[in-house]
Amino acid sequence: MQITVEIGTREQQQEIINELGMLGEASKHYTMAFRIREIIVPKDFDAKVTELQKAGTYKSVPGMEPVSKAIFTPQGHVLLFHPNIYSAAYDNHIRFAIYWHEFSLLVNKGHFPVLTRHKLDRYANYFMNLYQLYDQYSAARKSFEFRDAVLREVLKEELSELAKQDLERSLLGSLAIIRNKAEYYDWFRFQIMEYRENQIINDFLGAVRGKIAQLSYSIIFAYATMDHYENLREKESLIAEAPMLNNNTRAFLEYFRYKYQEDAVDLSDGIDLMEAFWANFGIRFVDGEKCMECEVVDI
């Protein structure tokens, strides 16, 4: 596996290569559907993504640039890490978690089952989205565990203050989204009322789809963090009144905890939990006579 660093002095480049070498070593011990062909720290992240994806010009949002991106090629995956993560705002403790999160997502691709369907039906839709959320939950948990192991067994260090600040800032950001009732819960309720009047399902889905994804992932990231770092569990009090944290959501999260502890990859028994979780956002998918249909439910 090749490691290419396009930023910094020759000495800095070698330090980054040494740091990233752990992924090359780890890849030898994990079963992967497709190997990692190359790891690149590009000088221009957007230009490199555009070059590799060959699907139009890629432009990240200024101030919201991704820290990493995996791109599939016929020769294997290419892992890109944004040059910003080698600035003074980050240290190696923060980067260890970033590296292993991205690596875990690639490993999951080889472990999680692939559902073959001739059409998208209710089961397939919930199945795919259930795995997408669990993919992020498990990758986050594994990235924290990996970092702990490196610090404890290799570096003999405590988690840096910068990494602690980054961890808490990220958690508080997710919690702020979860408890933002006006932006999410009230928005869903408003869109449900709009749908009751016009009965145009595509308009409803277009209005809520992005917020469903954002809120779902915020819940997943927040609880993956608090499930690993018990000292941060007290932050859960900040979302005690969040309307989305009902019994459906808590059962869904408990299911993820159990599957993670069991190191399970079969989530076929979680379809109904996924359905109940998404009902919190006002949507339920059913099989119609010709295709899958979306029902709008009150919340």
Side-chain angles (χ1 to χ4, degrees):
M1 182 185 67
Q2 183 178 346
I3 300 176
T4 303
V5 180
E6 300 177 353
I7 61 171
T9 64
R10 183 170 297 181
E11 182 180 352
Q12 290 170 330
Q13 289 175 348
Q14 188 57 53
E15 289 177 357
I16 295 172
I17 289 172
N18 292 342
E19 197 173 282
L20 287 167
M22 68 178 69
L23 292 182
E25 186 61 30
S27 66
K28 301 175 184 177
H29 305 285
Y30 286 84
T31 302
M32 303 182 70
F34 297 94
R35 69 184 183 91
I36 299 174
R37 185 189 94 195
E38 186 176 6
I39 298 175
I40 305 175
V41 180
K43 184 176 182 179
D44 187 328
F45 189 86
D46 289 4
K48 185 61 68 174
V49 173
T50 299
E51 173 191 332
L52 292 169
Q53 286 191 155
K54 298 179 172 54
T57 302
Y58 174 85
K59 287 188 177 296
S60 56
V61 179
M64 299 177 62
E65 298 88 352
V67 295
S68 60
K69 190 172 183 64
I71 298 175
F72 175 77
T73 72
Q75 295 76 35
H77 283 97
V78 176
L79 280 182
L80 301 181
F81 291 104
H82 202 288
N84 285 355
I85 70 172
Y86 300 94
S87 68
Y90 296 79
D91 64 8
N92 60 338
H93 291 196
I94 298 174
R95 289 192 293 271
F96 288 149
I98 293 172
Y99 296 155
W100 206 255
H101 186 274
E102 196 63 50
F103 179 75
S104 295
L105 292 176
L106 291 182
V107 172
N108 285 347
K109 290 181 185 296
H111 289 177
F112 289 172
V114 176
L115 185 66
T116 303
R117 280 285 209 272
H118 295 298
K119 65 177 182 178
L120 182 63
D121 57 14
R122 169 193 172 272
Y123 183 91
N125 184 50
Y126 283 129
F127 181 93
M128 290 186 296
N129 283 284
L130 177 64
Y131 271 98
Q132 285 177 5
L133 292 176
Y134 185 69
D135 192 19
Q136 293 294 336
Y137 178 86
S138 65
R141 293 285 303 268
K142 288 173 183 175
S143 72
F144 299 146
E145 290 178 0
F146 171 79
R147 176 167 64 185
D148 287 353
V150 169
L151 296 183
R152 181 180 62 252
E153 299 172 15
V154 180
L155 300 181
K156 313 295 184 184
E157 296 175 357
E158 296 293 326
L159 188 63
S160 69
E161 286 303 314
L162 191 63
K164 290 178 182 178
Q165 293 167 12
D166 176 77
L167 186 66
E168 185 164 340
R169 183 168 56 249
S170 177
L171 173 59
L172 291 176
S174 293
L175 296 179
I177 290 173
I178 296 169
R179 69 179 180 178
N180 191 335
K181 180 175 178 290
E183 184 72 17
Y184 294 93
Y185 183 74
D186 291 346
W187 172 258
F188 294 137
R189 287 173 61 87
F190 172 74
Q191 292 302 326
I192 290 170
M193 289 189 293
E194 287 285 293
Y195 171 77
R196 298 296 181 216
E197 290 187 12
N198 59 43
Q199 296 290 307
I200 303 175
I201 191 63
N202 287 338
D203 287 354
F204 173 77
L205 291 175
V208 302
R209 185 179 288 114
K211 290 186 182 295
I212 289 174
Q214 188 176 28
L215 185 53
S216 295
Y217 284 116
S218 293
I219 291 171
I220 293 304
F221 286 133
Y223 277 89
T225 302
M226 293 187 292
D227 287 346
H228 181 79
Y229 293 100
E230 283 298 323
N231 62 303
L232 294 175
R233 178 65 65 178
E234 64 182 23
K235 302 295 183 184
E236 190 177 17
S237 63
L238 297 173
I239 53 174
E241 303 301 321
M244 290 301 179
L245 288 181
N246 57 16
N247 289 338
N248 290 343
T249 299
R250 295 191 183 281
F252 187 72
L253 291 167
E254 189 58 38
Y255 175 77
F256 273 14
R257 291 188 193 102
Y258 172 76
K259 289 295 183 178
Y260 185 78
Q261 291 165 0
E262 295 295 311
D263 196 24
V265 296
D266 181 6
L267 307 184
S268 59
D269 57 351
I271 300 302
D272 289 344
L273 288 170
M274 183 70 207
E275 180 180 54
F277 177 60
W278 265 9
N280 292 337
F281 309 118
I283 58 174
R284 177 182 294 123
F285 293 95
V286 297
D287 290 326
E289 290 186 10
K290 296 182 179 180
C291 62
M292 182 184 70
E293 299 174 356
C294 179
E295 295 180 344
V296 177
V297 298
D298 291 327
I299 60 174

